[in-house]
Amino acid sequence: MREGVTLYDTTLRDGAQTQGVDFSVEDKRIIAEALDRIGVHYIEGGWPGANPTDDAFFADPPALKRARFTAFGMTKRSGRSAANDPGLAALLSSRAPALCLVGKSWDYQVDVALGIPRSENLDNISESIAAAARAREVLFDAEHFFDGYRANADYAFSAIKAAQDAGASWIVLCDTNGGTLPEDVYRIVSEVKLRLPNARLGVHAHNDTEQAVAVSLAALRGGARQIQGTLNGLGERCGNANLCSILATLMLKDDYASRFDTGVTADALKQLTPVSRLLDEILNRAPNRHAAYVGPSAFAHKGGLHVSAVQKDPATYEHVPPESVGNRRHILVSDQAGRSAIMARLAALGIEVQSSDKRIARLLEDVKSREFLGYAYDGAEASFELLARRALGQVPSYFTVESFRVMVERRHNALGNLVTISEAVVKVNAGGETFHNVATGNGPVNALDHALRKDLGRYSSYLQDLRLVDYKVRILTGGTEAVTRVMIESADAAGNRWSTVGVSENIMDASFEALSDSICFKLYRDGAPS
Ligand SMILES: [Zn+2]
C-alpha cells in the first residue's frame, strides 16, 4: 500500500518574487496549464489584491483539468475583524477553489515584526482560517515554523494547533529563511506528527543551504504528505525547493517510489524536461546545464572511456534513463574523445557511416585541431553536425558571402540626443543570384545578422522564424594570440533550439561564422533545396 503525496506548486507566487522575474498574465496561464498537464495537485496562482497582474489572472483563471487553483494571502491584521480585513476580502472574492493563508509561528517574529501580544497572533490565525474555511478549502502556511520551533516549540505548536482547530485542510511547515538542515526537519516533523496526529502536514523549503530538496524529502519521511516547491527551484535568494528534482526522485528512486504515490503517471513525467525548459524560455534564460534530471548536461558524456561504456549499456554512467524525464543523452565531442565518441555522436544524429571510413579519421583530426584553436563543440552541437555532414559531403553550399562591412557610428540625432547606430552591408550569392543587403541593428552583430538574412532569395522564406536567443563572447588566451570565441543560440517557432560557434582574432569574424552556421543549420534541417 503506497501513501499519497500531494504536490503544491508555487512558481507563480513564491517563484514570481525572484529578482528579475516578471510574469505577464499570459505567462502565468501558460505555466499553470503546463503544470496541470504534469499532474501537480495545487497550483498557487499568486496573491489577489497585491498587484494588477494577479488581479487579472484571478479574474479570469486558467482552465485546469486536475490541479486546484489556489490563491495566496495573509491572515488578518490585528485590530480588524476577519470580515472587515481588506486582504482577506480580496482573497475571498477571488474565484480560486482553495486559499493558502500565511501566518506567524515564531514568537520572535510576532514580538519584533508584528509587535502584538503573542495571544493576539493566535487569535488572528484562528479567526482568519475559520472565516475562510466557511467558504473554501484553506491551507495554513506556518511561516518560519522550524526556526520558531527551535526557539519556542510550545508557541510554534500553538500557532499550527490554532489553524488546525479552525479548520485548515493542511498545515504547511515553512523553512522560510531556508537555513534548517534535513536532520532537524526530520526530527521536528516527526515530533509535530506525534503531537498533532490528525493534521495533514506539508513542507515549504527554501534552498539557502542548497538542501531544499533534501529537506523536503526529510519532511516526507518524518510524516509530511504535501511538498511545496517551484519549477527549476525558482525563488528569491537561493530559490525554493526544486519541484522537478523532487518529483523525479519520488517517482524514479525505489525507496520513495515503493512507499509513495504522487499520482503523476510515468507518461506525464516525460513532460518534466519540456516544462522546465518552457519556464526558461518564458524567462528568456538559458537552461541551467547542470540541473539534476532536466539539465542539458544531466546525461552528457564526454570522456572517451565513458562514451564507449555508455554505448554498451547506458546504465554504466546514467542513474536513470534520460527518456523517463523527457531528457536525452548527449555524446559530447572533445579533444579527449576518440573515434568511438565521434561514431556515437554520428549515430545519435542518425548519420550512418563505417568507422573505418577515411573521412572519419579526417573529421576527428579536424575536430581536434579546431578545439585547439578555441572551438568548443560541447556547447555548439549544430556546428558539430554541420562539420560532420560537410565532411561527408551532405550539406550543400546554400550561399557564399563575398564581402561584408559593419559600421558603428556615435553621433547626435535631430533631437540633439547622443545615439549609437550600427549598419551592416553584406554582398552574398545565393541560388545563382547576388544580393546587396543593407540593414541596421541595435549593435554591430545584430546589424550583421539582419543584413545577412535580409534577402537570401529562395532561402528567405526558411528564415522568417529564426531568432537569436543567446550570444556569448569569451576571450581565449591560448597559443601566441588572444582569440575570441562566440557562441550563439538560435530558436525557431517550432520550439527548436540550436547552438553554433565561431572563433577568430576578430569578434565580428567570429560572430559572422557562428551566424552563418546557425542559418545553414536551419536550412539543412528544414530541407531547403541546394
Ligand atoms: Zn517561500
Side-chain angles (χ1 to χ4, degrees), residues 227-248:
I227 298 179
Q228 300 199 344
T230 60
L231 282 173
N232 298 344
L234 189 69
E236 59 189 327
R237 304 193 310 274
C238 314
N240 282 57
N242 186 342
L243 217 49
C244 298
S245 307
I246 290 170
L247 178 58

Side-chain angles (χ1 to χ4, degrees), residues 299 301 304-318 329-331:
F299 301 95
H301 306 285
L305 205 64
H306 289 200
V307 169
S308 59
V310 163
Q311 287 297 98
K312 289 176 189 145
D313 183 356
T316 49
Y317 286 96
E318 289 175 357
R329 179 171 306 125
H330 292 266
I331 305 292

Side-chain angles (χ1 to χ4, degrees), residues 100 183 239 265 330 450:
C100 184
E183 47 272 41
T265 64
H330 292 266
H450 288 168

Side-chain angles (χ1 to χ4, degrees), residues 110-179:
V110 177
D111 299 348
V112 174
L114 295 181
I116 57 171
R118 294 176 185 179
S119 61
E120 201 171 306
N121 176 54
L122 301 180
D123 294 342
N124 288 344
I125 292 172
S126 36
E127 284 171 39
S128 308
I129 299 282
R134 278 194 287 276
R136 307 294 158 78
E137 180 191 350
V138 190
L139 300 88
F140 179 63
D141 256 12
E143 198 186 21
H144 295 115
F145 180 80
F146 295 99
D147 292 318
Y149 194 90
R150 274 196 300 263
N152 183 344
D154 286 337
Y155 188 75
F157 182 77
S158 55
I160 59 171
K161 177 85 164 60
Q164 167 77 2
D165 291 347
S169 65
W170 287 93
I171 305 293
V172 182
L173 310 177
C174 302
D175 188 29
T176 309
N177 294 359

Side-chain angles (χ1 to χ4, degrees), residues 279-354:
L279 179 68
D280 290 325
E281 187 69 31
I282 286 171
L283 293 171
N284 197 23
R285 292 180 175 176
N288 172 6
R289 294 204 70 83
H290 303 286
Y293 297 104
V294 298
S297 294
F299 301 95
H301 306 285
K302 180 165 174 173
L305 205 64
H306 289 200
V307 169
S308 59
V310 163
Q311 287 297 98
K312 289 176 189 145
D313 183 356
T316 49
Y317 286 96
E318 289 175 357
H319 72 123
V320 295
E323 313 80 52
S324 60
V325 290
N327 206 341
R328 65 188 191 88
R329 179 171 306 125
H330 292 266
I331 305 292
L332 303 177
V333 174
S334 75
D335 56 5
Q336 296 174 31
R339 193 175 288 241
S340 67
I342 293 270
M343 292 308 294
R345 185 60 194 281
L346 295 178
L349 293 172
I351 300 174
E352 283 179 27
V353 59
Q354 296 287 326

Side-chain angles (χ1 to χ4, degrees), residues 14 204 206 240:
D14 223 0
H204 175 113
H206 280 258
N240 282 57

